[in-house]
Amino acid sequence: KISNFTKTMERIEKIATDIEKSAISLKCGFNEEYIKLKLKECQLQYQFKLKEAAEEEEQKAIREQMREEQKAVREFERAIAKAQKEEQMYQDALEQAKKELQVANADEKDKLTLKIEQLEAKLKEAMENEGRAKSMAEQTRRGHVYVISNIGSFGENIYKIGMTRRLEPLDRVKELGDASVPFLFDVHAMIFSEDAPKLEKDLHKIFNNK
């Protein structure tokens, strides 16, 4: 374990020393190179565990990012639906007020004219809200889906399908290589999509059994 690395190194030395003391009468002991190799093995295991923990943290961060993105998308979708509902409501009320204006008397016309102006202002606001929500939703969903592998770290025929919203998507791939594995990733595909989360999800579903 990462937490007991130092103690394990000390234990290897102690056990070797204790065994050699017990075997003095037999005039035998350990080859020094063998002890060095055992210590080296322990160091490599420690480094491997560190990389493994870093990869897990990286994957955890990616999953958290995906959850936040999905949450944001749902919020935008709700905002769009709300704006569209309000838009339709004001549109219907505006059409009704215009019909009433055509048959109204002089006193009623002033009130209806004011009502129409108010409804037009609310309709415009609802349309602007819908436009803003759609624009934000598009920005949230637009990105690149990448397919990468790392033979040196994970072996052959192991691929990672992920997504990024970076303006330079290869920066994300380089970041993954720098942070979590001892070798850089090979890029097999980099696909721009207006709906990157959906494309990534669809690809995960298609290749789930592989």
Side-chain angles (χ1 to χ4, degrees):
K1 296 178 182 178
I2 294 173
S3 59
N4 65 3
F5 168 66
T6 304
K7 287 183 178 179
T8 303
M9 294 284 281
E10 292 171 354
R11 188 164 172 245
I12 292 171
E13 294 269 19
K14 185 177 184 301
I15 290 173
T17 302
D18 289 347
I19 291 174
E20 285 192 321
K21 284 180 180 177
S22 300
I24 286 175
S25 61
L26 300 174
K27 297 182 179 180
C28 66
F30 288 110
N31 184 312
E32 190 175 336
E33 188 62 26
Y34 175 73
I35 301 298
K36 288 179 180 178
L37 286 172
K38 292 303 293 182
L39 293 170
K40 180 67 174 176
E41 180 186 18
C42 185
Q43 289 170 344
L44 289 172
Q45 283 285 349
Y46 174 65
Q47 291 168 8
F48 172 73
K49 293 287 184 183
L50 284 176
K51 290 292 182 184
E52 203 172 42
E55 172 68 10
E56 178 56 34
E57 281 299 311
E58 177 69 22
Q59 292 299 319
K60 184 179 176 182
I62 291 170
R63 289 193 295 270
E64 181 61 30
Q65 180 187 0
M66 287 174 66
R67 281 194 292 269
E68 287 299 312
E69 288 166 352
Q70 289 164 0
K71 182 181 176 183
V73 167
R74 287 194 295 270
E75 288 176 356
F76 291 137
E77 287 172 347
R78 284 195 294 270
I80 291 169
K82 181 184 177 185
Q84 288 175 338
K85 185 178 179 181
E86 289 179 350
E87 192 177 326
Q88 187 61 54
M89 180 181 70
Y90 293 133
Q91 186 68 53
D92 292 343
L94 187 58
E95 289 176 5
Q96 181 62 34
K98 286 180 178 179
K99 287 178 182 178
E100 292 175 3
L101 182 63
Q102 292 174 357
V103 296
N105 58 41
D107 292 336
E108 292 172 335
K109 280 185 178 180
D110 289 340
K111 292 180 181 179
L112 286 168
T113 300
L114 180 61
K115 183 179 180 181
I116 287 170
E117 289 175 357
Q118 291 172 342
L119 287 170
E120 285 175 341
K122 288 180 178 179
L123 177 60
K124 183 182 178 183
E125 185 182 352
M127 292 172 72
E128 288 173 352
N129 288 340
E130 181 187 0
R132 277 196 298 271
K134 281 183 176 180
S135 176
M136 290 299 294
E138 286 169 4
Q139 290 176 37
T140 303
R141 302 193 74 85
R142 189 181 291 129
H144 286 82
V145 172
Y146 54 80
V147 181
I148 58 178
S149 68
N150 196 317
I151 293 176
S153 300
F154 305 117
E156 295 183 355
N157 301 318
I158 303 295
Y159 299 90
K160 174 179 175 61
I161 300 172
M163 62 157 286
T164 178
R165 289 192 181 79
R166 297 281 183 86
L167 292 175
E168 181 45 70
L170 288 174
D171 285 349
R172 175 58 178 158
V173 177
K174 185 177 183 299
E175 189 178 82
L176 287 171
D178 290 343
S180 57
V181 290
F183 304 100
L184 295 176
F185 282 91
D186 294 313
V187 180
H188 303 284
M190 184 66 73
I191 310 156
F192 175 77
S193 173
E194 292 289 345
D195 195 344
K198 183 179 185 302
L199 177 58
E200 180 194 34
K201 186 178 179 182
D202 289 346
L203 288 172
H204 282 176
K205 193 180 296 182
I206 291 168
F207 294 107
N208 186 51
N209 65 338
K210 297 181 182 298

